[in-house]
Amino acid sequence: MQKKAFLILLMSLMMSSCANMGHFKYIMKPEVVIKNELTNQSYEVSQKYKFKVATVESLSEKRPEITVQVDELFTQYSSCMDVTDNGDAIRKFLIVVVNSTFVCNYHFGMCNGEYDPENNLIIVSYKAFKRRGTLPLLKHEWAHAYGSLAADHSNMDSVVQCIKY
Ligand SMILES: [Zn+2]
């Protein structure tokens, strides 16, 4: 009798961990982004800072509100970081917003933001796993662009108050 109870417990534990694995895999399956396609996309220009903002097709309905949010985030970023160039350093970049965690060459192949100066590209996810709000990593990538955040994140402590993640 005891053996049977143990077996049932063991079975249910195995089943629940399998279910968790499935869920985990689903969440962490990163979106594939093709940079050539991103750089040739049409974009909107934000009203306040004239930033170039593009999104993947599935976010096209949200594009106007995303563009407004990019301006709002930059206002917060520049006042917190004492940036006074009014966005000059960012205007050459195309900011591309994808749905969620995407495939990249860092962080074990999964990113929620990527700063790519070679292609004048900043890619960020609209929503990110375990990160609050929308465009959670955009300020982080701006901090790379301004050189305020080292590529290896060794000085994260000095900027984390302004960029959150
Ligand atoms: Zn980074």
Side-chain angles (χ1 to χ4, degrees):
M1 198 59 196
Q2 238 182 348
K3 238 183 187 176
K4 198 180 170 191
F6 177 73
L7 206 66
I8 289 169
L9 179 72
L10 192 71
M11 289 275 286
S12 68
L13 277 172
M14 280 168 67
M15 279 167 75
S16 67
S17 65
C18 282
N20 284 337
M21 273 309 286
H23 191 51
F24 183 74
K25 271 188 196 158
Y26 170 73
I27 291 171
M28 295 313 285
K29 189 169 178 263
E31 193 173 342
V32 175
V33 294
I34 298 154
K35 283 188 182 176
N36 283 346
E37 285 178 14
L38 298 183
T39 45
N40 294 322
Q41 256 193 114
S42 66
Y43 55 82
E44 290 193 22
V45 177
S46 74
Q47 206 171 13
K48 190 170 177 187
Y49 297 105
K50 312 292 178 208
F51 290 160
K52 295 184 277 187
V53 181
T55 71
V56 290
E57 192 55 42
S58 48
L59 288 171
S60 57
E61 267 181 36
K62 292 203 166 77
R63 217 170 282 170
E65 68 183 77
I66 287 172
T67 307
V68 170
Q69 199 199 347
V70 167
D71 274 346
E72 286 169 359
L73 288 174
F74 193 77
T75 301
Q76 294 167 15
Y77 177 84
S78 35
S79 77
C80 191
M81 295 288 289
D82 289 322
V83 165
T84 53
D85 75 345
N86 220 27
D88 258 349
I90 303 300
R91 261 185 287 279
K92 65 177 174 187
F93 289 96
L94 177 66
I95 298 168
V96 183
V97 181
V98 301
N99 284 294
S100 57
T101 307
F102 56 90
V103 177
C104 65
N105 295 324
Y106 324 93
H107 305 299
F108 310 104
M110 291 185 282
C111 286
N112 288 303
E114 185 178 348
Y115 166 62
D116 178 0
E118 237 170 82
N119 294 304
N120 285 334
L121 205 58
I122 290 174
I123 311 170
V124 286
S125 41
Y126 183 61
K127 284 185 175 170
F129 182 60
K130 279 198 162 178
R131 303 276 195 264
R132 264 180 295 154
T134 48
L135 309 177
L137 268 295
L138 187 53
K139 289 175 180 174
H140 177 112
E141 304 311 328
W142 283 335
H144 281 310
Y146 276 96
S148 309
L149 175 60
D152 64 1
H153 300 147
S154 54
N155 64 337
M156 189 67 180
D157 287 354
S158 62
V159 291
V160 73
Q161 274 179 306
C162 289
I163 67 174
K164 200 155 101 185
Y165 298 117

